[in-house]
Amino acid sequence: MTESVLQVKELKLGISNGKHKIPIVNGVSFNLNKGETLGIVGESGCGKSLTSLALMGLLPPGIEWQDGDIKITEQSMKGVSHRVWRSVRGQKVAMIFQEPMSSLNPVFTIGNQIVEMIQSHNKMPKEEAKQHAIHMLKTLGIPRAEAVFNEYPHQLSGGMRQRVMIAMALSCNPDILIADEPTTALDVTIQAQILELMKDLQQKMDMSIILITHDLGVVAEMCDRVIVMYAGEIVEQSTVVELFDNPKHPYTKGLLASLPKIEERKEYLSSIKGVVPTAGNMPGGCRFAPRCTARHEKCDVKPVLRNYNDQSMVQCWLYSDN
Amino acid sequence: MLLSYIVKRIFHAILVVIVISLIVFFSIRLTGDPVAIMFGAGEPSQEAIDQLTAELGLDQPLHIQYGLFMKGLLTFDLGESFRSGIPVMTLIAERVWPTMLLAFGGMVVALLIAFPVGIISAIKRDTFLDFGGRVFSLIGISFPNFWLGIMLILIFAVNLQWLPASGFEGFKYLILPSITLGLILSGVLARLVRSSMLEVLNQQYIRTAESKGISKWVVILKHAFRNALLPTTTFIGLQFGALLGGTVIIEQVFAWPGIGRLIIDAINQRDYPVVQGGVVFLALVMVVVNLIVDLSYSLIDPRIKAGKGK
Ligand SMILES: Nc1ncnc2c1ncn2[C@@H]1O[C@H](COP(=O)(O)OP(=O)(O)O)[C@@H](O)[C@H]1O
Ligand SMILES: [Mg+2]
């Protein structure tokens, strides 16, 4: 029996104008098992970042948690105090972001920023925290770790900064690491190194990873299971093998078709016409229908996410009789 | 690097002082002839007038007078007061302490008010508190110095009799003038702190800080505030001139024995050397303060090396 570290149930996040609640993330449910890597893919604007921020209680101002529940290692986070969230952040769930350039505070040293985090979760003397921070930097393969400890973010390259971010995120031994497009801003070689490191550390530290990306190549490389999000909903959820071998949702197929094959080197990646609809302008039935090549009459009614087989779920009328 | 920067700044400072000295030298001479008022109501003979004019050196052509003034400046000799005959340097030395104390007091009051008001306004954006903070700023910005000073005197000195209204005989005397000066400055400053904080709070590194599980106040006061301090410091540097200008008015209202009053009195008496010396001295102070502020950037923001600009 696999142990679940995170359960998200019917999560709704959105804005409200006056009396109307407008969901942006519209009833998302998933599970994350211990030691597993779960990918979340989808075009930008699908609600991937909002979903992940909700897992840390860091929704941006104006976005509210409208419905549903998040359970982190069995604890429901619905309506808990700031204090409880603080104990979760960094210690149970840690996060790294897309932009390593702007994710570290420019006016404090690397060491200061890591030690601060270590000491906020562990009562330990400064010297011990410092040693632990340097150890983390070394673990991430950062050369001259002792010197880097005293350096400022602007003195490091983008790849090094992202390593520092990961070192910091992992410094309190979290159960879950959320990586929101962690390598999008880096060049390909460095991207590969960082992903390799994450995989490596995941095994050593026995942690779960949620990897948000719009790069299916990265998914194939890293993930055990994948969630495909479209316009704030999960349209397909399956194991990685199943996703690549037997994609079901027309949106998933479109994403896969836009994966650049090395032989082809396409200029335009997208083979799906149109754009993601924004909250408030959602189509009534299936949200993907306006862009779908397999659209038919049933699509005016909203489909639900159903089990397709024991490896996958899909939200599409093509795979459902009633 | 740093040295060449400092040399450049000193050169710049000298230029500023020369320009200011020219302006004050000529404009004070537009106010009229000092000899005429020095005889008061009497009817002096032409001979006596000529003699006094020569004594004061005012019979020399203007360029010679200016040359002498500049030559004196180089040797820290600002001449003597036409009125009292006391060396201008001595007069300034007596007055510098009260003025600096007042400027410092005003700045402290301004910071004590502006930092909390600006920070709270920013983190409670668009709430009642923010609204209050913004109204406060607006009032601070739009009310004239002297009016507020007079109001404070009426309330605290005349009505409540808690604090002295004028003069300078101890710490108590510093309170009302400092508050007047500080309140005025705090309006603009609070507005600036608020907008810098709002900008910083939107940055990605603030989200990173929040994601670490540290306390909200550490995020605000350490991570955000330290970054918001940079534009604020620039501003304080730039406003130092306004602050000194403010002391001139406040010194009048509170009969404060500082350089501002020294200059105003000297203007009324057409005491050229005192006016010239006082104004050039204030200009020098301003230039030095700006230099210090510039150098302090690199302490606040490690990305900035002194001399490389922002
Ligand atoms: N603070 C906010 N206020 C209003 N709408 C927002 C806010 N943040 C994000 N959104 C909207 O929510 C949607 C999903 O955003 P996001 O989760 O960032 O997408 P993704 O990470 O998948 O690219 C987008 O349409 C975006 O415009
Ligand atoms: Mg995103």
Side-chain angles (χ1 to χ4, degrees):
Chain A
M1 182 70 213
T2 42
E3 187 187 335
S4 164
V5 287
L6 172 74
Q7 290 162 291
V8 177
K9 278 210 184 73
E10 286 301 316
L11 183 66
K12 283 193 183 184
L13 312 168
I15 48 180
S16 75
N17 70 19
K19 284 187 187 117
H20 288 281
K21 284 186 176 176
I22 304 172
I24 294 176
V25 169
N26 191 28
V28 160
S29 306
F30 62 91
N31 235 316
L32 180 67
N33 294 325
K34 196 166 175 67
E36 171 187 51
T37 301
L38 175 68
I40 303 183
V41 297
E43 289 161 284
S44 77
C46 283
K48 306 184 296 292
S49 294
L50 285 185
T51 306
S52 63
L53 288 171
L55 302 179
M56 300 214 80
L58 287 178
L59 287 174
I63 302 281
E64 50 196 35
W65 178 338
Q66 294 173 339
D67 205 3
D69 196 8
I70 295 172
K71 274 189 185 157
I72 296 171
T73 56
E74 298 301 318
Q75 182 183 8
S76 167
M77 300 307 293
K78 178 104 202 184
V80 301
S81 66
H82 181 68
R83 176 182 284 274
V84 175
W85 270 120
R86 267 185 61 195
S87 69
V88 164
R89 293 176 195 155
Q91 217 166 15
K92 288 185 174 174
V93 190
M95 193 161 183
I96 58 174
F97 302 93
Q98 175 172 347
E99 281 295 331
M101 296 295 170
S102 47
S103 299
L104 288 162
N105 196 324
V107 305
F108 297 105
T109 61
I110 304 298
N112 179 308
Q113 299 186 49
I114 302 180
V115 164
E116 168 187 69
M117 177 160 171
I118 295 171
Q119 285 193 312
S120 80
H121 293 294
N122 307 279
K123 295 274 158 277
M124 61 165 80
K126 211 177 181 111
E127 187 53 35
E128 200 182 330
K130 177 180 172 177
Q131 289 315 319
H132 182 52
I134 291 175
H135 166 74
M136 288 309 298
L137 292 174
K138 285 181 176 160
T139 309
L140 265 292
I142 295 171
R144 312 182 298 116
E146 282 90 356
V148 167
F149 183 89
N150 291 314
E151 284 176 1
Y152 290 92
H154 73 275
Q155 294 170 280
L156 305 177
S157 69
M160 281 302 146
R161 270 181 252 200
Q162 197 60 298
R163 284 171 194 248
V164 167
M165 274 300 293
I166 299 173
M168 183 159 79
L170 301 187
S171 65
C172 295
N173 207 354
D175 301 303
I176 303 167
L177 175 69
I178 302 174
D180 190 349
E181 314 237 7
T183 55
T184 309
L186 304 175
D187 70 47
V188 188
T189 2
I190 296 180
Q191 167 168 342
Q193 289 170 4
I194 300 245
L195 292 175
E196 193 56 43
L197 257 170
M198 282 174 57
K199 238 170 145 173
D200 205 41
L201 289 169
Q202 173 177 35
Q203 296 221 314
K204 279 187 193 148
M205 303 176 70
D206 194 21
M207 92 192 143
S208 313
I209 295 181
I210 295 179
L211 181 62
I212 297 170
T213 178
H214 53 250
D215 184 343
L216 282 165
V218 171
V219 170
E221 187 89 5
M222 296 285 293
C223 300
D224 304 309
R225 278 193 307 127
V226 193
I227 285 171
V228 181
M229 275 186 85
Y230 183 77
E233 295 178 349
I234 295 178
V235 294
E236 183 161 351
Q237 187 176 153
S238 75
T239 60
V240 166
V241 178
E242 176 79 4
L243 188 91
F244 283 90
D245 286 357
N246 183 17
K248 289 152 206 84
H249 200 285
Y251 181 61
T252 314
K253 289 178 180 168
L255 288 179
L256 282 167
S258 61
L259 237 184
K261 308 257 174 11
I262 297 194
E263 318 86 74
E264 293 177 22
R265 292 209 170 274
K266 279 193 234 166
E267 273 297 304
Y268 291 96
L269 296 182
S270 180
S271 62
I272 310 168
K273 291 197 173 57
V275 291
V276 185
T278 51
N281 301 310
M282 287 297 169
C286 169
R287 291 184 166 189
F288 186 61
R291 299 172 72 188
C292 186
T293 47
R295 177 178 190 164
H296 52 290
E297 321 81 63
K298 272 190 178 172
C299 302
D300 293 336
V301 181
K302 200 171 171 54
V304 291
L305 188 64
R306 289 168 182 274
N307 282 325
Y308 175 81
N309 55 23
D310 61 352
Q311 297 205 33
S312 60
M313 298 172 91
V314 61
Q315 174 173 304
C316 177
W317 286 117
L318 293 175
Y319 304 93
S320 175
D321 297 331
N322 47 343
Chain B
M1 186 64 229
L2 183 63
L3 194 71
S4 78
Y5 171 69
I6 291 180
V7 168
K8 213 164 82 189
R9 285 303 307 256
I10 289 176
F11 184 75
H12 180 225
I14 292 173
L15 209 70
V16 168
V17 171
I18 289 178
V19 170
I20 299 244
S21 70
L22 273 169
I23 293 173
V24 63
F25 179 86
F26 286 104
S27 55
I28 182 67
R29 278 165 177 75
L30 294 176
T31 59
D33 185 4
V35 175
I37 56 170
M38 283 176 77
F39 283 107
E43 284 275 323
S45 65
Q46 189 57 43
E47 208 171 90
I49 290 177
D50 288 347
Q51 194 195 340
L52 186 57
T53 306
E55 247 173 54
L56 299 179
L58 295 173
D59 56 340
Q60 308 276 358
L62 280 182
H63 66 275
I64 302 279
Q65 288 185 36
Y66 182 72
L68 287 170
F69 168 44
M70 288 312 282
K71 194 176 145 213
L73 208 56
L74 285 177
T75 54
F76 298 101
D77 174 9
L78 296 174
E80 284 140 24
S81 161
F82 285 172
R83 276 271 145 170
S84 58
I86 300 173
V88 175
M89 280 303 262
T90 311
L91 288 173
I92 290 177
E94 279 170 3
R95 303 294 192 101
V96 82
W97 170 236
T99 292
M100 289 304 130
L101 206 60
L102 177 58
F104 181 75
M107 191 51 90
V108 168
V109 171
L111 295 180
L112 281 179
I113 296 171
F115 281 160
V117 170
I119 290 173
I120 289 170
S121 236
I123 60 181
K124 298 282 176 197
R125 186 180 189 174
D126 293 334
T127 63
F128 183 71
L129 278 173
D130 181 24
F131 180 73
R134 280 151 72 185
V135 168
F136 171 84
S137 294
L138 199 65
I139 291 174
I141 290 164
S142 31
F143 278 46
N145 282 349
F146 63 88
W147 183 87
L148 188 70
I150 291 168
M151 284 302 119
L152 290 178
I153 291 177
L154 279 178
I155 297 170
F156 293 101
V158 179
N159 283 340
L160 299 173
Q161 304 208 329
W162 286 351
L163 293 164
S166 68
F168 176 44
E169 288 155 41
F171 176 75
K172 255 182 144 180
Y173 289 78
L174 185 60
I175 296 174
L176 284 185
S178 294
I179 289 178
T180 309
L181 190 58
L183 271 176
I184 297 302
L185 203 63
S186 67
V188 206
L189 203 54
R191 187 182 270 193
L192 184 86
V193 170
R194 175 181 181 271
S195 65
S196 318
M197 280 296 285
L198 282 178
E199 200 187 314
V200 169
L201 286 170
N202 263 324
Q203 302 292 317
Q204 182 65 60
Y205 54 76
I206 296 300
R207 186 177 280 173
T208 305
E210 286 177 317
S211 78
K212 300 196 311 194
I214 55 182
S215 96
K216 210 180 197 160
W217 286 107
V218 173
V219 174
I220 292 164
L221 294 180
K222 177 181 168 184
H223 289 269
F225 185 60
R226 175 75 181 270
N227 280 280
L229 212 52
L230 193 66
T232 313
T233 312
T234 312
F235 176 82
I236 292 173
L238 291 175
Q239 281 295 302
F240 194 78
L243 184 71
L244 282 183
T247 62
V248 175
I249 296 164
I250 303 285
E251 286 177 9
Q252 285 308 108
V253 174
F254 289 94
W256 189 260
I259 296 198
R261 251 185 95 211
L262 179 72
I263 294 173
I264 301 273
D265 290 348
I267 290 173
N268 289 332
Q269 296 164 351
R270 295 179 197 156
D271 196 340
Y272 295 176
V274 176
V275 177
Q276 289 169 183
V279 171
V280 168
F281 176 80
L282 287 185
L284 264 176
V285 170
M286 219 182 99
V287 164
V288 170
V289 167
N290 279 337
L291 183 63
I292 293 172
V293 169
D294 256 23
L295 292 174
S296 71
Y297 290 151
S298 55
L299 292 179
I300 297 174
D301 188 340
R303 285 168 301 182
I304 299 171
K305 290 278 161 284
K308 283 201 179 152
K310 278 181 272 174

